[in-house]
Protein backbone atom coordinates (compact mmCIF):
# COMPACT_ATOMS: atom_id res chain seq x y z
CA UNK A 1 0.00 0.00 0.00
CA UNK A 2 1.14 3.51 -0.79
CA UNK A 3 0.26 6.99 0.40
CA UNK A 4 -1.72 9.30 -1.87
CA UNK A 5 -3.53 12.64 -1.59
CA UNK A 6 -7.06 11.79 -2.71
CA UNK A 7 -9.59 14.35 -3.93
CA UNK A 8 -13.04 13.22 -2.80
CA UNK A 9 -15.24 16.32 -3.05
CA UNK A 10 -14.89 19.31 -5.38
CA UNK A 11 -13.03 22.16 -3.69
CA UNK A 12 -12.51 20.27 -0.42
CA UNK A 13 -9.20 19.39 1.23
CA UNK A 14 -7.33 16.43 -0.22
CA UNK A 15 -7.21 13.46 2.15
CA UNK A 16 -4.05 11.45 2.77
CA UNK A 17 -5.02 7.81 2.20
CA UNK A 18 -3.40 4.41 1.87
CA UNK A 19 -4.12 3.20 -1.67
CA UNK A 20 -3.40 0.11 -3.71
CA UNK A 21 -1.38 0.76 -6.86
CA UNK A 22 -1.64 -2.18 -9.26
CA UNK A 23 1.36 -3.50 -11.23
CA UNK A 24 1.80 -2.10 -14.74
CA UNK A 25 0.01 -3.87 -17.58
CA UNK A 26 1.32 -4.10 -21.14
CA UNK A 27 2.85 -0.82 -22.39
CA UNK A 28 2.73 0.70 -18.88
CA UNK A 29 5.35 1.92 -16.43
CA UNK A 30 5.12 2.06 -12.65
CA UNK A 31 6.96 5.11 -11.31
CA UNK A 32 8.12 6.03 -7.82
CA UNK A 33 7.39 9.74 -7.62
CA UNK A 34 10.27 11.78 -6.19
CA UNK A 35 8.97 15.29 -6.77
CA UNK A 36 5.68 16.73 -7.97
CA UNK A 37 4.40 20.26 -8.45
CA UNK A 38 0.97 21.79 -8.25
CA UNK A 39 -0.29 23.31 -11.50
CA UNK A 40 -3.32 25.54 -12.10
CA UNK A 41 -4.84 22.74 -14.17
CA UNK A 42 -4.93 20.65 -11.00
CA UNK A 43 -6.74 23.46 -9.20
CA UNK A 44 -9.20 23.91 -12.09
CA UNK A 45 -10.20 20.24 -11.99
CA UNK A 46 -10.17 20.18 -8.18
CA UNK A 47 -12.87 22.87 -8.22
CA UNK A 48 -15.06 21.11 -10.82
CA UNK A 49 -18.23 19.45 -9.55
CA UNK A 50 -19.12 17.69 -12.79
CA UNK A 51 -17.44 15.77 -15.62
CA UNK A 52 -14.67 15.82 -16.75
CA UNK A 53 -13.78 15.90 -13.04
CA UNK A 54 -14.29 12.48 -11.40
CA UNK A 55 -14.29 11.50 -7.72
CA UNK A 56 -12.52 10.06 -5.86
CA UNK A 57 -9.38 10.80 -7.85
CA UNK A 58 -5.66 11.40 -7.51
CA UNK A 59 -4.68 14.70 -9.09
CA UNK A 60 -1.23 15.92 -10.10
CA UNK A 61 0.54 15.86 -13.46
CA UNK A 62 3.86 17.73 -13.06
CA UNK A 63 6.35 15.24 -11.65
CA UNK A 64 9.65 13.42 -11.84
CA UNK A 65 10.46 9.96 -10.58
CA UNK A 66 12.26 6.65 -11.03
CA UNK A 67 10.98 3.63 -12.95
CA UNK A 68 10.09 0.90 -10.42
CA UNK A 69 8.76 -1.73 -12.86
CA UNK A 70 7.56 -2.04 -16.46
CA UNK A 71 4.87 -4.04 -18.24
CA UNK A 72 5.15 -6.21 -21.32
CA UNK A 73 6.21 -4.44 -24.48
CA UNK A 74 8.06 -1.58 -22.74
CA UNK A 75 11.56 -1.21 -24.20
CA UNK A 76 12.37 2.51 -24.16
CA UNK A 77 12.69 2.82 -20.37
CA UNK A 78 14.05 0.39 -17.78
CA UNK A 79 13.95 -0.06 -14.02
CA UNK A 80 15.99 2.69 -12.35
CA UNK A 81 15.64 5.27 -15.14
CA UNK A 82 14.86 8.87 -14.22
CA UNK A 83 11.66 9.87 -16.02
CA UNK A 84 9.02 12.56 -16.18
CA UNK A 85 5.40 11.55 -16.80
CA UNK A 86 3.56 13.91 -19.15
CA UNK A 87 -0.16 14.43 -19.79
CA UNK A 88 0.54 14.79 -23.52
CA UNK A 89 1.18 11.49 -25.32
CA UNK A 90 3.67 10.67 -28.06
CA UNK A 91 3.06 7.15 -29.36
CA UNK A 92 5.52 7.71 -32.21
CA UNK A 93 3.48 5.82 -34.78
CA UNK A 94 0.31 7.81 -35.59
CA UNK A 95 0.17 10.36 -38.44
CA UNK A 96 0.24 13.26 -35.96
CA UNK A 97 3.30 11.98 -34.08
CA UNK A 98 5.06 11.44 -37.42
CA UNK A 99 4.21 14.96 -38.61
CA UNK A 100 6.21 18.07 -37.78
CA UNK A 101 2.98 20.09 -37.85
CA UNK A 102 1.24 18.56 -34.84
CA UNK A 103 2.04 17.49 -31.29
CA UNK A 104 -1.45 16.06 -30.55
CA UNK A 105 -1.12 12.28 -30.58
CA UNK A 106 -4.10 10.70 -32.37
CA UNK A 107 -2.94 7.18 -31.56
CA UNK A 108 -3.82 7.64 -27.89
CA UNK A 109 -6.44 10.39 -27.73
CA UNK A 110 -7.58 11.89 -24.41
CA UNK A 111 -9.99 9.71 -22.46
CA UNK A 112 -10.82 9.05 -18.79
CA UNK A 113 -8.69 6.36 -17.20
CA UNK A 114 -5.66 4.66 -18.70
CA UNK A 115 -5.22 5.55 -22.39
CA UNK A 116 -5.52 2.02 -23.81
CA UNK A 117 -8.38 0.55 -21.77
CA UNK A 118 -10.05 3.35 -19.77
CA UNK A 119 -9.51 1.61 -16.42
CA UNK A 120 -7.55 2.79 -13.37
CA UNK A 121 -4.62 1.29 -11.47
CA UNK A 122 -5.65 2.86 -8.13
CA UNK A 123 -8.07 1.42 -5.57
CA UNK A 124 -8.86 1.36 -1.86
CA UNK A 125 -7.22 -1.71 -0.27
CA UNK A 126 -10.11 -2.57 2.05
CA UNK A 127 -12.97 -2.39 -0.44
CA UNK A 128 -11.39 -2.52 -3.90
CA UNK A 129 -13.29 0.66 -4.82
CA UNK A 130 -11.55 2.27 -7.81
CA UNK A 131 -9.88 5.66 -7.52
CA UNK A 132 -9.80 7.60 -10.79
CA UNK A 133 -6.53 8.69 -12.31
CA UNK A 134 -5.98 12.16 -13.72
CA UNK A 135 -5.02 13.11 -17.30
CA UNK A 136 -2.88 9.98 -17.67
CA UNK A 137 -0.47 10.88 -14.84
CA UNK A 138 -1.80 11.18 -11.22
CA UNK A 139 1.36 12.29 -9.40
CA UNK A 140 0.01 13.15 -5.91
CA UNK A 141 0.97 9.65 -4.78
CA UNK A 142 4.11 7.73 -3.84
CA UNK A 143 3.69 5.43 -6.85
CA UNK A 144 1.78 5.84 -10.09
CA UNK A 145 1.27 3.81 -13.26
CA UNK A 146 1.56 5.64 -16.58
CA UNK A 147 1.34 4.51 -20.19
CA UNK A 148 4.79 4.48 -21.79
CA UNK A 149 3.55 6.92 -24.45
CA UNK A 150 3.30 9.48 -21.62
CA UNK A 151 6.77 8.80 -20.16
CA UNK A 152 9.95 10.69 -21.06
CA UNK A 153 13.35 9.35 -20.04
CA UNK A 154 15.97 11.87 -18.94
CA UNK A 155 19.72 11.45 -18.85
CA UNK A 156 21.39 11.84 -15.43
CA UNK A 157 22.23 15.38 -14.37
CA UNK A 158 18.91 17.14 -13.86
CA UNK A 159 17.64 16.82 -10.30
CA UNK A 160 14.05 15.59 -9.78
CA UNK A 161 13.21 18.97 -8.25
CA UNK A 162 14.05 20.69 -11.53
CA UNK A 163 12.98 17.88 -13.86
CA UNK A 164 9.37 17.96 -12.65
CA UNK A 165 9.07 21.55 -13.89
CA UNK A 166 9.64 20.31 -17.43
CA UNK A 167 6.57 18.07 -17.45
CA UNK A 168 4.06 20.90 -17.95
CA UNK A 169 4.47 24.59 -17.08
CA UNK A 170 7.99 25.33 -18.28
CA UNK A 171 7.56 23.32 -21.47
CA UNK A 172 4.18 24.93 -22.17
CA UNK A 173 5.57 28.45 -21.85
CA UNK A 174 8.96 28.07 -23.49
CA UNK A 175 7.53 25.81 -26.19
CA UNK A 176 4.89 28.38 -27.16
CA UNK A 177 7.67 30.82 -28.07
CA UNK A 178 9.93 28.16 -29.58
CA UNK A 179 7.64 25.86 -31.51
CA UNK A 180 4.34 27.66 -32.05
CA UNK A 181 5.23 31.34 -32.36
CA UNK A 182 8.67 30.50 -33.77
CA UNK A 183 9.90 33.87 -32.47
CA UNK A 184 12.59 35.28 -34.75
CA UNK A 185 15.79 37.05 -33.62
CA UNK A 186 15.30 40.79 -33.31
CA UNK A 187 11.50 40.58 -33.14
CA UNK A 188 9.15 42.32 -30.70
CA UNK A 189 6.80 40.26 -28.52
CA UNK A 190 4.08 41.05 -25.99
CA UNK A 191 3.34 38.51 -23.25
CA UNK A 192 -0.10 38.92 -21.67
CA UNK A 193 0.05 37.48 -18.18
CA UNK A 194 -2.64 35.66 -16.26
CA UNK A 195 -2.42 37.01 -12.72
CA UNK A 196 -1.76 33.68 -10.99
CA UNK A 197 -0.08 31.71 -13.75
CA UNK A 198 3.60 30.73 -13.91
CA UNK A 199 3.93 29.97 -17.62
CA UNK A 200 3.61 33.62 -18.66
CA UNK A 201 7.18 34.47 -17.73
CA UNK A 202 8.26 31.12 -19.11
CA UNK A 203 6.94 32.43 -22.43
CA UNK A 204 9.11 35.51 -21.90
CA UNK A 205 12.09 33.27 -21.21
CA UNK A 206 11.39 31.35 -24.41
CA UNK A 207 11.28 34.61 -26.38
CA UNK A 208 14.61 35.66 -24.86
CA UNK A 209 16.14 32.31 -25.78
CA UNK A 210 14.89 32.78 -29.35
CA UNK A 211 16.61 36.17 -29.60
CA UNK A 212 13.67 38.59 -29.34
CA UNK A 213 14.86 42.18 -29.08
CA UNK A 214 11.88 43.61 -27.21
CA UNK A 215 9.70 41.59 -24.82
CA UNK A 216 6.78 43.53 -23.38
CA UNK A 217 5.19 42.07 -20.26
CA UNK A 218 1.52 43.02 -19.87
CA UNK A 219 0.27 42.43 -16.33
CA UNK A 220 -1.99 44.01 -13.72
CA UNK A 221 0.36 43.01 -10.90
CA UNK A 222 3.38 45.35 -10.66
CA UNK A 223 5.09 42.96 -8.23
CA UNK A 224 5.73 40.54 -11.09
CA UNK A 225 7.92 43.12 -12.82
CA UNK A 226 11.07 42.04 -10.96
CA UNK A 227 11.05 38.37 -11.90
CA UNK A 228 9.87 39.28 -15.39
CA UNK A 229 12.97 41.42 -15.88
CA UNK A 230 15.20 38.58 -14.70
CA UNK A 231 13.64 36.23 -17.23
CA UNK A 232 13.90 38.53 -20.24
CA UNK A 233 11.08 41.10 -20.08
CA UNK A 234 12.43 44.43 -21.38
CA UNK A 235 9.31 46.56 -20.87
CA UNK A 236 6.39 46.27 -18.47
CA UNK A 237 2.87 47.61 -19.10
CA UNK A 238 -0.02 47.72 -16.68
CA UNK A 239 -3.23 47.85 -18.80
CA UNK A 240 -4.80 50.17 -16.23
CA UNK A 241 -2.16 52.78 -17.03
CA UNK A 242 -2.55 53.08 -20.83
CA UNK A 243 -6.18 54.13 -21.22
CA UNK A 244 -7.37 51.23 -23.36
CA UNK A 245 -4.70 51.61 -26.04
CA UNK A 246 -3.62 48.59 -28.06
CA UNK A 247 -0.16 47.20 -27.42
CA UNK A 248 0.26 46.24 -31.09
CA UNK A 249 -0.67 47.47 -34.53
CA UNK A 250 -0.48 45.93 -37.99
CA UNK A 251 0.22 42.26 -38.69
CA UNK A 252 1.32 39.66 -36.19
CA UNK A 253 0.57 36.31 -34.59
CA UNK A 254 -1.29 35.68 -31.33
CA UNK A 255 -0.63 32.43 -29.46
CA UNK A 256 -3.31 31.27 -27.01
CA UNK A 257 -2.25 28.88 -24.25
CA UNK A 258 -3.50 27.78 -20.87
CA UNK A 259 -6.76 26.35 -19.59
CA UNK A 260 -9.80 28.68 -19.70
CA UNK A 261 -12.69 28.21 -17.30
CA UNK A 262 -16.22 27.72 -18.59
CA UNK A 263 -17.19 28.22 -22.22
CA UNK A 264 -14.77 31.05 -22.93
CA UNK A 265 -14.85 32.40 -26.50
CA UNK A 266 -12.55 34.54 -28.60
CA UNK A 267 -13.87 37.26 -30.91
CA UNK A 268 -11.71 38.43 -33.83
CA UNK A 269 -12.61 41.34 -36.14
CA UNK A 270 -12.53 40.09 -39.74
CA UNK A 271 -10.45 43.04 -40.94
CA UNK A 272 -7.65 42.10 -38.50
CA UNK A 273 -7.43 38.68 -40.14
CA UNK A 274 -7.38 40.26 -43.60
CA UNK A 275 -4.50 42.49 -42.54
CA UNK A 276 -2.32 39.49 -41.76
CA UNK A 277 -3.03 38.77 -38.13
CA UNK A 278 -3.51 35.20 -36.99
CA UNK A 279 -4.53 33.37 -33.82
CA UNK A 280 -3.07 29.96 -33.03
CA UNK A 281 -3.79 27.64 -30.13
CA UNK A 282 -0.95 25.97 -28.27
CA UNK A 283 -1.27 22.78 -26.19
CA UNK A 284 1.87 21.86 -24.24
CA UNK A 285 3.72 24.56 -26.15
CA UNK A 286 3.56 22.59 -29.39
CA UNK A 287 6.20 20.22 -28.00
CA UNK A 288 6.50 16.53 -28.70
CA UNK A 289 7.34 15.30 -25.19
CA UNK A 290 9.82 12.51 -25.93
CA UNK A 291 11.61 14.58 -28.58
CA UNK A 292 11.67 18.03 -27.02
CA UNK A 293 11.76 17.66 -23.21
CA UNK A 294 15.28 16.15 -23.32
CA UNK A 295 16.35 19.17 -25.39
CA UNK A 296 15.03 21.53 -22.72
CA UNK A 297 16.75 19.47 -20.03
CA UNK A 298 20.05 19.89 -21.85
CA UNK A 299 19.46 23.62 -22.23
CA UNK A 300 19.01 23.76 -18.45
CA UNK A 301 22.29 21.90 -17.92
CA UNK A 302 23.96 24.30 -20.38
CA UNK A 303 22.56 27.21 -18.31
CA UNK A 304 20.47 28.48 -21.23
CA UNK A 305 17.15 27.71 -19.47
CA UNK A 306 16.29 29.04 -16.02
CA UNK A 307 14.40 26.70 -13.68
CA UNK A 308 15.49 27.58 -10.13
CA UNK A 309 13.82 30.98 -10.42
CA UNK A 310 10.46 29.24 -10.30
CA UNK A 311 11.09 27.36 -7.05
CA UNK A 312 10.71 29.38 -3.86
CA UNK A 313 9.58 26.84 -1.23
CA UNK A 314 10.26 23.23 -0.27
CA UNK A 315 7.33 21.44 1.35
CA UNK A 316 6.54 17.94 2.54
CA UNK A 317 3.92 15.81 0.84
CA UNK A 318 1.70 16.08 3.90
CA UNK A 319 1.58 19.84 3.34
CA UNK A 320 -0.09 19.57 -0.05
CA UNK A 321 -3.27 21.29 1.14
CA UNK A 322 -1.17 24.25 2.24
CA UNK A 323 0.19 24.44 -1.31
CA UNK A 324 -3.38 24.48 -2.69
CA UNK A 325 -4.18 27.31 -0.30
CA UNK A 326 -1.14 29.33 -1.40
CA UNK A 327 -1.99 28.89 -5.05
CA UNK A 328 -5.70 29.68 -4.79
CA UNK A 329 -5.04 32.78 -2.68
CA UNK A 330 -2.66 34.16 -5.29
CA UNK A 331 0.34 33.88 -2.95
CA UNK A 332 1.98 31.35 -5.20
CA UNK A 333 2.10 30.74 -8.95
CA UNK A 334 2.95 27.05 -9.15
CA UNK A 335 3.70 24.92 -6.04
CA UNK A 336 6.07 21.94 -6.22
CA UNK A 337 6.06 19.05 -3.71
CA UNK A 338 8.99 16.82 -2.66
CA UNK A 339 8.21 13.19 -1.95
CA UNK A 340 11.45 12.59 -0.07
CA UNK A 341 10.56 14.55 3.08
CA UNK A 342 13.18 17.25 2.56
CA UNK A 343 12.91 20.96 3.14
CA UNK A 344 9.52 21.32 4.83
CA UNK A 345 8.44 24.92 4.72
CA UNK A 346 11.86 26.16 3.61
CA UNK A 347 11.81 29.54 1.88
CA UNK A 348 14.06 29.89 -1.12
CA UNK A 349 16.27 32.80 -2.11
CA UNK A 350 14.68 36.08 -3.18
CA UNK A 351 11.30 35.07 -1.75
CA UNK A 352 9.34 37.93 -0.24
CA UNK A 353 7.07 37.06 2.66
CA UNK A 354 3.68 35.90 1.41
CA UNK A 355 4.63 35.85 -2.26
CA UNK A 356 5.98 32.73 -3.96
CA UNK A 357 6.28 31.40 -7.47
CA UNK A 358 6.61 27.69 -6.80
CA UNK A 359 6.39 25.41 -3.81
CA UNK A 360 8.20 22.09 -3.92
CA UNK A 361 6.79 19.08 -2.07
CA UNK A 362 7.68 15.35 -1.78
CA UNK A 363 6.86 11.87 -0.38
CA UNK A 364 8.86 10.08 2.35
CA UNK A 365 10.19 6.55 1.87
Amino acid sequence: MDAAAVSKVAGQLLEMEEVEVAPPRAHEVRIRILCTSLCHTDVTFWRMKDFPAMYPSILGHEAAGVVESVGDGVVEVAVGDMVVPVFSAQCGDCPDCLSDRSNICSGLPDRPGMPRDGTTRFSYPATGEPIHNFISVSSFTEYTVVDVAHVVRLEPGVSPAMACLLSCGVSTGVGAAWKVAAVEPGSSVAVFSRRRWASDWQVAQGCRMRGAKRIVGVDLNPEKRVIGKRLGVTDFINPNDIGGKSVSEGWGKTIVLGLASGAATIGIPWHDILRGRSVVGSLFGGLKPKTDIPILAQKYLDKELELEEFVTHDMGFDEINTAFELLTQGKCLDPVHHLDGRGKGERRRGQAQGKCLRVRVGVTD
Side-chain angles (χ1 to χ4, degrees):
M1 292 187 293
D2 305 298
V6 181
S7 179
K8 295 183 175 180
V9 180
Q12 299 298 309
L13 296 178
L14 306 186
E15 297 186 24
M16 300 303 297
E17 301 267 10
E18 291 292 321
V19 303
E20 189 77 35
V21 183
R25 298 181 185 178
H27 308 293
E28 294 176 358
V29 180
R30 181 169 148 131
I31 302 169
R32 180 166 71 94
I33 299 295
L34 300 177
C35 190
T36 183
S37 62
L38 175 61
C39 172
H40 283 270
T41 300
D42 299 311
V43 174
T44 298
F45 276 82
W46 169 68
R47 287 171 167 162
M48 287 183 185
K49 296 181 180 180
D50 302 310
F51 188 83
M54 303 172 75
Y55 300 94
S57 66
I58 298 175
L59 300 173
H61 65 286
E62 287 191 347
V66 175
V67 174
E68 183 259 359
S69 58
V70 301
D72 293 341
V74 174
V75 295
E76 59 188 271
V77 297
V79 173
D81 284 347
M82 172 67 70
V83 295
V84 291
V86 187
F87 74 91
S88 181
Q90 186 179 353
C91 74
D93 298 321
C94 71
D96 293 274
C97 285
L98 295 173
S99 171
D100 292 333
R101 304 186 66 178
S102 173
N103 72 324
I104 310 301
C105 176
S106 56
L108 292 172
D110 293 338
R111 62 181 295 179
M114 298 298 290
R116 297 177 196 264
D117 63 16
T119 62
T120 178
R121 303 294 170 263
F122 302 107
S123 62
Y124 287 109
T127 64
E129 177 190 357
I131 303 171
H132 300 287
N133 73 345
F134 177 63
I135 56 175
S136 301
V137 177
S138 286
S139 61
F140 294 167
T141 174
E142 290 181 290
Y143 287 86
T144 189
V145 176
V146 181
D147 191 283
V148 70
H150 291 265
V151 176
V152 178
R153 181 182 179 274
L154 292 182
E155 296 294 336
V158 182
S159 70
M162 298 295 104
C164 75
L165 306 184
L166 298 174
S167 60
C168 184
V170 171
S171 298
T172 295
V174 173
W178 170 26
K179 291 286 186 174
V180 184
V183 172
E184 299 176 351
S187 59
S188 296
V189 182
V191 180
F192 293 81
S193 170
R194 291 169 60 180
R195 184 168 59 94
R196 299 178 182 178
W197 200 46
S199 291
D200 43 17
W201 289 164
Q202 293 291 4
V203 173
Q205 179 172 207
C207 294
R208 173 184 58 78
M209 294 169 64
R210 293 283 297 179
K213 181 179 181 180
R214 188 181 187 193
I215 304 171
V216 181
V218 183
D219 199 298
L220 294 170
N221 183 1
E223 295 178 357
K224 291 173 67 176
R225 182 191 303 257
V226 176
I227 185 174
K229 291 285 187 180
R230 289 200 294 265
L231 292 171
V233 175
T234 59
D235 303 87
F236 192 92
I237 293 177
N238 187 324
N240 291 333
D241 298 335
I242 60 174
K245 294 181 180 179
S246 173
V247 298
S248 65
E249 295 179 354
W251 54 270
K253 180 186 294 185
T254 296
I255 311 300
V256 180
L257 61 159
L259 192 64
S261 59
T265 60
I266 298 175
I268 308 169
W270 67 270
H271 53 79
D272 284 346
I273 299 297
L274 287 179
R275 291 173 180 268
R277 295 189 180 187
S278 62
V279 178
V280 181
S282 172
L283 182 65
F284 196 57
L287 301 187
K288 294 181 183 291
K290 295 175 184 290
T291 304
D292 296 322
I293 287 180
I295 295 174
L296 291 181
Q298 187 59 51
K299 288 184 179 296
Y300 165 71
L301 293 175
D302 294 339
K303 302 188 183 306
E304 298 177 33
L305 176 69
E306 174 62 52
L307 294 180
E308 283 90 348
E309 191 74 61
F310 289 85
V311 179
T312 55
H313 284 66
D314 290 313
M315 303 179 72
F317 188 42
D318 58 353
E319 298 176 286
I320 192 167
N321 284 307
T322 301
F324 267 82
E325 182 179 1
L326 287 170
L327 194 65
T328 56
Q329 290 180 353
K331 297 178 180 178
C332 175
L333 287 182
D334 244 339
V336 182
H337 302 266
H338 278 284
L339 277 74
D340 55 9
R342 294 178 294 147
K344 282 192 175 184
E346 179 182 346
R347 190 176 298 277
R348 295 286 295 257
R349 61 176 176 78
Q351 160 69 72
Q353 181 66 34
K355 302 181 182 65
C356 70
L357 289 175
R358 282 195 176 264
V359 183
R360 190 167 53 197
V361 184
V363 173
T364 56
D365 293 328

